[in-house]
């Protein structure tokens, strides 16, 4: 069980241990190249020890405190309606200095492609991504006996999270 973060889905590709590309989901088939901006996200490793191709899907988000800070600086007619809208605009900036100032964070939630890693469980994928230096979405292993209590715990926690969640 994990958060469904309310941000912008980003797919990161690493080759030879280097961040090679960052793409938005786009129309579902073709995404926008936002590699230049992803390089200045607050928490994306630019290099990793894994040298084969590695593709990770995750969510770019802006925390509530940064959303509020940025909106305080803007005139009323330019204020953003939600952290998601601010994140989307920030990731698509032509000037990545603006992206950097807005503190965009990346939370990995899926290992899409890797060579010979063969993870059977999502929790093992997420632990491996953490071991490589990625921030991953908070998650909990649940069973039929624990799922209701864990869903209730997540529901209780949603109002104190530093980021938006839509599920």
């Amino acid at each position: 069980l994990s958060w469904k973060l309310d941000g912008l889905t980003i797919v990161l590709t690493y080759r030879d241990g280097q961040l090679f590309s960052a793409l938005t989901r786009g129309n579902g088939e073709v995404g926008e190249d936002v590699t230049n901006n992803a390089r200045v996200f607050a928490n994306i490793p630019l290099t990793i020890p894994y040298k084969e191709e590695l593709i990770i899907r995750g969510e770019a988000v802006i925390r509530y405190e940064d959303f509020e800070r940025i909106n305080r600086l803007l005139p009323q007619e330019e204020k953003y309606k939600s952290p998601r809208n601010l994140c989307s605009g920030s990731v698509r900036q032509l000037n990545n200095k603006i992206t950097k100032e807005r503190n965009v964070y990346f939370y990995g939630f899926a290992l899409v492609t890797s060579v010979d890693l063969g993870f059977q469980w999502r929790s093992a994928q997420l632990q491996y991504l953490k071991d490589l230096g990625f921030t991953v979405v908070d998650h909990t292993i649940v069973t039929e006996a624990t799922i209701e209590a864990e869903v209730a715990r997540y529901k209780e926690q949603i109002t104190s999270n530093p980021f938006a969640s839509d599920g």
Side-chain angles (χ1 to χ4, degrees):
L1 182 69
S2 68
W3 294 110
K4 180 180 178 297
L5 302 180
D6 189 17
L8 181 68
T9 299
I10 302 286
V11 177
L12 302 177
T13 300
Y14 287 78
R15 292 187 181 152
D16 298 318
Q18 304 291 317
L19 177 61
F20 177 77
S21 69
L23 303 173
T24 68
R25 185 173 49 188
N27 64 10
E29 291 184 27
V30 178
E32 294 175 66
D33 185 337
V34 294
T35 308
N36 189 46
N37 289 338
R39 292 184 190 285
V40 299
F41 284 9
N43 64 336
I44 286 183
L46 299 179
T47 61
I48 59 173
Y50 185 76
K51 300 304 179 197
E52 301 295 329
E53 182 173 79
L54 188 77
I55 301 174
I56 304 161
R57 183 173 289 121
E59 201 79 358
V61 298
I62 290 183
R63 295 176 180 183
Y64 286 125
E65 68 183 75
D66 290 311
F67 169 72
E68 292 163 4
R69 174 184 54 83
I70 291 163
N71 261 354
R72 278 194 302 271
L73 301 172
L74 296 173
Q76 187 61 38
E77 64 277 2
E78 293 179 24
K79 292 185 185 299
Y80 288 89
K81 292 183 180 180
S82 69
R84 184 189 191 290
N85 289 354
L86 175 59
C87 184
S88 182
S90 299
V91 168
R92 292 179 169 102
Q93 288 289 319
L94 296 178
N95 180 348
N96 74 357
K97 289 180 183 175
I98 295 170
T99 305
K100 183 174 178 62
E101 291 170 358
R102 292 184 177 176
N103 292 330
V104 177
Y105 285 83
F106 177 83
Y107 289 85
F109 61 73
L111 180 58
V112 178
T113 302
S114 61
V115 176
D116 296 328
L117 292 176
F119 294 112
Q120 191 172 6
W121 303 101
R122 175 67 57 96
S123 59
Q125 290 180 7
L126 294 174
Q127 184 58 53
Y128 182 70
L129 292 176
K130 281 179 76 170
D131 293 345
L132 289 177
F134 294 95
T135 304
V136 299
V137 66
D138 286 341
H139 58 283
T140 304
I141 297 172
V142 295
T143 66
E144 186 176 341
T146 64
I147 192 164
E148 286 186 33
E150 288 300 322
V151 168
R153 187 176 67 82
Y154 271 63
K155 187 175 182 179
E156 184 178 295
Q157 191 179 355
I158 197 165
T159 59
S160 62
N161 280 341
F163 48 78
S165 174
D166 55 358

